[in-house]
Amino acid sequence: MKIFVLGAGLVGATVVEALQVDHDLTVVDLDSTKLKPLAQLYDVATVQASAGSGRELAAAGIREADLVISCTSQDEANLVAGMIARKLAPKATTIVRTSSSEYAEIWRESRIDIDFVVSSERETARAVSQAIGVPYARQTDTFAEGKVQIVELDVGARASGDLVGTKLRDARLPDNSRLAGIIRDGRAVLPSGDTVVAPGDRVVAIGSPPAAQEWCQLVSPSSGVVRDVVVFGAQELGTAIARALVQKGISVRVVEPDPARAALLAERLPEARVFNTTGLERGFMQREGIARVQTAIFAMRDDARNLFAATLARVNGVPHTIALAHDPASAAVYERAGIDVSVDPGRVTAREIVRFAHDPRTQQVTMLEGDRFEVLDITTRAESELVGLSLRAMPIRGALIGAIVRNGEAIFPCSDDVLQAGDRVIVFTESARAPQVERAL
């Protein structure tokens, strides 16, 4: 597939990293300092040009594109570039990234001539909301209209003996689930009956939503269901997160130092309690019972402030913390500092964009561990050589089918189950093998 990526910032670079292996990529940006590293790291063409100039895009060859992704840091520039691309390359699918929920709503009302709009606010709020649903999962996502859920969990010293130190064939694991993969020392281990999970492993389980909760209990016993949170920061992302959690019936408090932003949120989201303060004073935390909340979410624009505030909250007794990492390098710092979950708005937006470059049968893609592993939701072709084979007999290497959705029902298969044409399969694999897995299915 010939893909044009307009914008070489954090989102664009993540998209390029994920797609450069199996596609013909051209990256367009006015800033040559952003283009140069991509040209050095990957086999992609780079063009120094304006994404908003039809003449320059035409000269770059955009008429030949199969997919155009406009993901600069400017919403208006992305919309203009997307509409120009629609005119210059009418056969191409056009994807536009926006940080504004209002633009996304206008698109849903069919008032913008673009194929798809991906909202950073929506994707970030969705990622945080899902992390709230399964406390202590490093990452989680749902598939098949919520019938299937994946959880990525760190196995620590508190993990149950039903999971740790026992061969998997003898382990007491949750029903309606499969252990899809173990990430050990940075490598993927596809589990077999003889595999033993050890402290320090990171496991990826695929199962029903109740089974996902049981997996969390195996790894972090008595974590409980989160019903009370505090959100630090009421800018666009913090507001979207607060709104998503209120809609789930969770009690939400929001801390925002800007009086205008605090007043605006209080007006627009009366279900939440809004405090116009930094929230970092010890007296405030004690007076308002912040230390007693189950989860604190740090959605400020500055990663250093998020890190400081999250560390302070942990010192004051908050048991579970989630922080936005606007710089990809911050995620590793957060993990070392003891923050339970980091959410990178640029990366979660890029993940949603990337699925449009996969096989059309692939309905969803979740990327794990710095995008080195993927979970695909893909429908099996009737002519696939794998149809009619049991899972035990399948020749695919480096991939594991964690769930099958057949006739609207989720099946968590054993090795004797047989794949049928039209099955939706949820499969865990290394990202480099994803195109091979899609072709095989």
Side-chain angles (χ1 to χ4, degrees), residues 269-311:
L269 196 64
E271 300 90 342
R273 293 177 62 195
V274 181
F275 298 91
N276 177 212
T277 175
T278 65
L280 303 182
E281 305 88 355
R282 183 175 181 85
F284 171 80
M285 287 194 170
Q286 292 179 340
R287 184 174 64 255
E288 297 300 332
I290 299 300
R292 295 193 297 274
V293 301
Q294 292 169 286
T295 296
I297 301 162
F298 301 88
M300 293 174 284
R301 290 175 172 173
D302 182 82
D303 287 356
R305 286 184 62 81
N306 285 333
L307 175 61
F308 174 77
T311 303

Side-chain angles (χ1 to χ4, degrees), residues 168 179-183 187-193 195 373 396-401 428-430 433:
L168 288 179
L179 180 58
I182 301 170
I183 300 169
R187 297 181 300 106
V189 176
L190 294 183
S192 66
T195 303
F373 307 99
I396 296 179
R397 297 291 179 265
L400 186 143
I401 294 176
F428 171 81
T429 184
E430 294 181 70
R433 295 179 180 269

